[in-house]
Amino acid sequence: NPGSSAELARTLVDAVSVDPATVVARVRATFETGRTRPLAWRLAQLNALRALLVEESDEFLAALNADLGKSATEAQRSEVGFVVNEIDHTVAHLEQWLRPRPAGVPAAFMPAEARVVRDPLGVVLIIAPWNYPLQLALAPLVGALAAGNTAVLKPSEMAPATSAAMARLIPRYLDREAVAVVEGAVAETTALLEQRFDHIFYTGNGAVGRIVMTAAAKHLTPVTLELGGKSPAVVEPGADLTVTAQRIARGRFQNAGQTCVAPDYVLAIGATAAALEAELVTAVRALYGENPATNSEYGRIVNERHHDRLTALLGDGRIVTGGTHDRASRYLAPTVLADVSPEAPVMQAEIFGPVLPIVGVPDLDAAIAFINERDKPLALYAFTESEETKQRLTEETSSGGLVFGLTVAHLAVPELPFGGVGESGMGRYHGEYSIDTFSHLKAVLDKPIA
Ligand code: NAD
């Protein structure tokens, strides 16, 4: 009952209890009552989260538009709708996922029974980034609650409207003694990280990932780090370059390039480098028209600092399309750069914006060597008709995910684990993998005494 005196009183209590130690103590006390363990509580929370997303979707779409210029179509698909799908998949399977799994027992122990039981961990800290500020806060929360934990959620201060909307609305729908939202930037996150958690789930960059893991080490807290990096798109001769260009462009330029699994650069084998240029120009035009600045489907750069960083990269190759920008509106046109040297600045770190370099390599061996000389990517994309190439890329490279013929889409397949390896992160989530991430897999052996 928003606006009632009881609601007002609770809001005042929340306002005075932003002290991180108090917040964590509160949700820990809730966990210790045991009320988050029954399946019924977990399903009720997931259904309440679903209701929040459906009933307040206008608020969230407006916030995402204010923060990132996200269109309603894109925000519905990749943020609100994404989390609703994750909830539906989880609700449909949770009872089965939580069933103890029987395990075989060696003859020497017989008679006896063995099983694996998924135990909730306790209090989970979720630290979210700004680029998909709703999805990357709430999809981990789905897993944490489904596994029977309580949670503290720290949204990104760089998406302030979405952060404020979650902080205001989540307590109205979810068990407010079990889920706390703490807004803030570095100071607030640092203070939170001093507390003891039972799991920390961090999405963002690797520099902060190291800070998170160091803080977690003090309490021996396990971490999941969902990080980023440069995800290549390998293109082999023989692939349909029209379709290839469309699928690369869509993945690269959605959310104005600010997608952790966006194809970061094209690794074009042989003659495909030159042939792809015209196809990418056509693909960008088909997506956003002659002037993307006036197309509401095209997003904006999150802030001026990132806008400046990105425009500094535009000289690193021959501009095939795009290159125009406007700092005041944080606009940067979808840009394709050709003839890019592997030594150019644009090839040194994750671009995280609407700039797509094409780097040429002579053959598949050179492409594989190029990938393996660098940090392990969060995603590897390949466009090829050759089963042998698919086999070689599967066996001879390491990446968080590997996708043939598409970009970005693997994270929307709920039965696939999502996560990185090496510099792109550790751990995984989505669907049943979230249950394993946010549970302890307890070994239970039961032998009759007599
Ligand atoms: P960000 O700046 O929003 O930071 C992420 C979180 O870390 C925020 O909540 C922020 O408050 C907190 N933070 C920042 N500095 C901190 C500090 N010194 N100490 C403690 N906490 C701190 O987001 P970002 O890092 O710019 O996000 C972009 C990066 O995230 C890219 O590298 C991208 O690839 C990666 N990413 C990965 C995934 C994934 O699922 N693997 C998803 C999205 C983004």
Side-chain angles (χ1 to χ4, degrees):
N1 183 8
S4 72
S5 55
E7 166 83 5
L8 186 64
R10 276 200 294 269
T11 307
L12 289 174
V13 170
D14 285 349
V16 295
S17 59
V18 289
D19 163 51
T22 314
V23 171
V24 177
R26 192 176 87 194
V27 297
R28 183 171 296 288
T30 305
F31 179 75
E32 283 165 3
T33 65
R35 90 161 176 255
T36 66
R37 284 177 177 263
L39 179 66
W41 183 89
R42 305 183 195 196
L43 291 174
Q45 293 307 304
L46 295 177
N47 287 327
L49 187 57
R50 192 183 199 287
L52 160 66
L53 289 164
V54 172
E55 289 167 18
E56 310 288 352
S57 72
D58 287 351
E59 291 253 358
F60 288 128
L61 296 189
L64 291 160
N65 188 266
D67 286 333
L68 290 147
K70 255 185 221 210
S71 75
T73 338
E74 189 171 314
Q76 184 58 42
R77 188 186 69 236
S78 67
E79 304 255 20
V80 176
F82 184 97
V83 182
V84 169
N85 288 343
E86 180 72 13
I87 292 172
D88 289 346
H89 178 68
T90 304
V91 166
H93 296 96
L94 189 56
E95 185 175 8
Q96 178 212 332
W97 291 340
L98 295 176
R99 257 178 232 152
R101 312 270 158 99
V105 179
F109 291 112
M110 290 301 244
E113 279 176 11
R115 57 189 177 271
V116 181
V117 171
R118 280 160 177 74
D119 252 352
L121 292 170
V123 184
V124 171
L125 172 64
I126 297 165
I127 305 176
W130 52 266
N131 61 332
Y132 288 83
L134 185 92
Q135 183 204 135
L136 298 172
L138 298 188
L141 183 65
V142 170
L145 296 175
N149 300 283
T150 61
V152 176
L153 179 60
K154 214 300 287 176
S156 177
E157 72 281 11
M158 282 167 67
T162 311
S163 173
M166 288 193 288
R168 191 166 53 79
L169 295 171
I170 284 176
R172 291 196 193 163
Y173 283 82
L174 298 189
D175 182 338
R176 56 197 307 145
E177 300 303 319
V179 179
V181 182
V182 176
E183 290 195 83
V186 176
E188 290 79 4
T189 316
T190 307
L192 268 177
L193 284 170
E194 284 164 13
Q195 308 304 312
R196 181 172 69 81
F197 292 93
D198 300 289
H199 193 94
I200 301 178
F201 189 102
Y202 169 80
T203 305
N205 68 76
V208 176
R210 286 166 166 80
I211 293 173
V212 169
M213 202 169 168
T214 304
K218 206 164 54 192
H219 301 289
L220 275 186
T221 299
V223 294
T224 303
L225 301 179
E226 296 283 344
L227 310 178
K230 293 181 87 64
S231 297
V234 176
V235 182
E236 204 174 44
D240 179 327
L241 295 187
T242 306
V243 174
T244 297
Q246 286 164 356
R247 294 180 182 175
I248 292 176
R250 185 177 288 276
R252 168 75 288 184
F253 298 118
Q254 80 172 55
N255 202 28
Q258 301 159 116
T259 303
C260 57
V261 284
D264 184 274
Y265 62 96
V266 177
L267 208 46
I269 296 178
T272 61
L276 263 175
E277 291 180 21
E279 296 289 357
L280 283 165
V281 174
T282 308
V284 169
R285 195 169 299 146
L287 279 172
Y288 302 111
E290 287 299 331
N291 185 8
T294 59
N295 187 328
S296 62
E297 288 303 312
Y298 188 66
R300 294 295 180 269
I301 306 305
V302 66
N303 60 26
E304 291 181 347
R305 179 170 61 82
H306 280 285
H307 193 268
D308 293 344
R309 177 181 65 75
L310 290 162
T311 51
L313 302 174
L314 297 177
D316 287 359
R318 175 169 52 84
I319 294 180
V320 175
T321 183
T324 54
H325 49 89
D326 173 47
R327 192 171 194 263
S329 59
R330 294 173 283 124
Y331 170 74
L332 171 55
T335 300
V336 176
L337 298 177
D339 308 331
V340 175
S341 153
E343 278 71 48
V346 75
M347 287 302 297
Q348 304 316 308
E350 182 181 3
I351 297 168
F352 221 55
V355 179
L356 179 67
I358 304 174
V359 176
V361 281
D363 52 27
L364 183 63
D365 286 334
I368 290 174
F370 195 98
I371 295 162
N372 290 340
E373 279 159 11
R374 289 167 172 75
D375 290 338
K376 293 181 179 179
L378 182 57
L380 173 60
Y381 302 110
F383 293 84
T384 173
E385 293 295 339
S386 157
E387 290 305 320
E388 190 193 331
T389 298
K390 292 182 184 179
Q391 187 73 15
R392 284 198 61 195
L393 287 170
T394 306
E395 289 175 2
E396 296 177 36
T397 68
S398 176
S399 57
L402 170 62
V403 181
F404 299 116
L406 265 181
T407 59
V408 181
H410 57 306
L411 91 168
V413 178
E415 291 191 14
L416 285 177
F418 182 71
V421 57
E423 280 289 325
S424 55
M426 62 181 72
R428 62 210 63 79
Y429 74 130
H430 288 175
E432 190 172 9
Y433 294 95
S434 290
I435 305 299
D436 284 359
T437 286
F438 293 115
S439 303
H440 166 60
L441 272 57
K442 184 161 70 181
V444 178
L445 179 63
D446 182 356
K447 184 174 174 63
I449 296 171

